[in-house]
Amino acid sequence: MEDRVRVVIAEDSVLLREGLTRLLTDRGHEVVAGVGDGEALIKTITELDAQGELPDVVVADVRMPPTHTDEGVRAAVQLRKGHPGLGVLVLSQYVEERYATELLAGSSRGVGYLLKDRVAEVREFVDAVVRVAEGGTALDPEVVAQLLGRSRKQDVLAGLTPREREVLGLMAEGRTNSAIARQLVVSDGAVEKHVSNIFLKLGLSPSEGDHRRVLAVLTYLNS
């Protein structure tokens, strides 16, 4: 069982909202509220915070009423600014690079962006919710692929070897060094060496601590 987390879900589809609630509660987590639009999400979080009951993480659809464009991600960005300790995991039907960039451009902790198809992989989805709630990251492999693809065009990561790019992509998905080693069928030591080289080539100093794992992926956002 994962560590128990408290969740607010923002999704205008009642069916999907109830489905997400069931997935999380079945694994022992608490869904403290469910809302159907960005305005209601911000209001709910504000009220919970005033009561001293801020949740650990918000799971929000990128597109919500009234225009079904970017209400969800705008609410998420606003919440991250006002509540730095609140994890935010957004769900999207497709990879929308602009929204992913907007969400990831701020603090590097407690953020996630997944495609809705990933919800069907129950264990991975719930793990992502918990990871974001605990201050980690959860980026869909398709999102990572597109963002890294753009960064390659900008030559931000030009100094990395193909294997280092592969390790960086798996880091961005929130995988630990051990998980990366299993995925690539190499030793933990080999992965640690690749990660150290990535940090060095991207100019990320040891003083930045664990944030370097995320900053290594997001460096190009400032280029």
Side-chain angles (χ1 to χ4, degrees), residues 88-167:
V88 175
L89 173 63
V90 299
L91 303 177
S92 179
Q93 192 69 41
Y94 310 102
V95 177
E96 301 181 80
E97 187 176 312
R98 177 170 63 89
Y99 297 151
T101 301
E102 184 177 5
L103 181 69
L104 298 170
S107 170
S108 60
R109 292 183 60 82
V111 62
Y113 188 113
L114 297 179
L115 295 183
K116 286 187 174 180
D117 287 348
R118 204 66 58 187
V119 175
E121 299 170 13
V122 177
R123 178 72 190 191
E124 289 190 18
F125 169 69
V126 177
D127 284 349
V129 172
V130 173
R131 191 159 63 245
V132 171
E134 295 177 344
T137 59
L139 301 183
D140 194 283
E142 291 297 323
V143 175
V144 173
Q146 287 206 20
L147 295 182
L148 290 180
R150 188 184 73 169
S151 70
R152 281 196 290 272
K153 294 177 182 178
Q154 296 174 340
D155 290 329
V156 177
L157 307 180
L160 301 185
T161 66
R163 176 62 92 180
E164 288 165 354
R165 291 176 187 269
E166 191 173 12
V167 170

Side-chain angles (χ1 to χ4, degrees), residues 7 9 14 41 43 49-50 56 60 80 92 95 126 172 178 205-206 209:
V7 188
I9 298 175
V14 176
L41 172 60
K43 180 181 179 181
D49 189 30
D56 300 303
R80 280 173 59 76
S92 179
V95 177
V126 177
S178 294
S205 67

Side-chain angles (χ1 to χ4, degrees), residues 108-109 135 171 199 205-216:
S108 60
R109 292 183 60 82
M171 286 167 58
F199 292 157
S205 67
S207 63
E208 289 164 312
D210 291 339
H211 291 297
R212 292 190 299 171
R213 294 187 72 84
V214 178
L215 291 174

Side-chain angles (χ1 to χ4, degrees), residues 66-80:
T67 67
H68 291 279
T69 54
D70 62 353
E71 282 84 358
V73 75
R74 282 194 289 107
V77 170
Q78 182 176 332
L79 288 173
R80 280 173 59 76

Side-chain angles (χ1 to χ4, degrees), residues 27-38:
R27 287 190 173 268
H29 304 298
E30 180 184 1
V31 176
V32 298
V35 298
D37 60 71

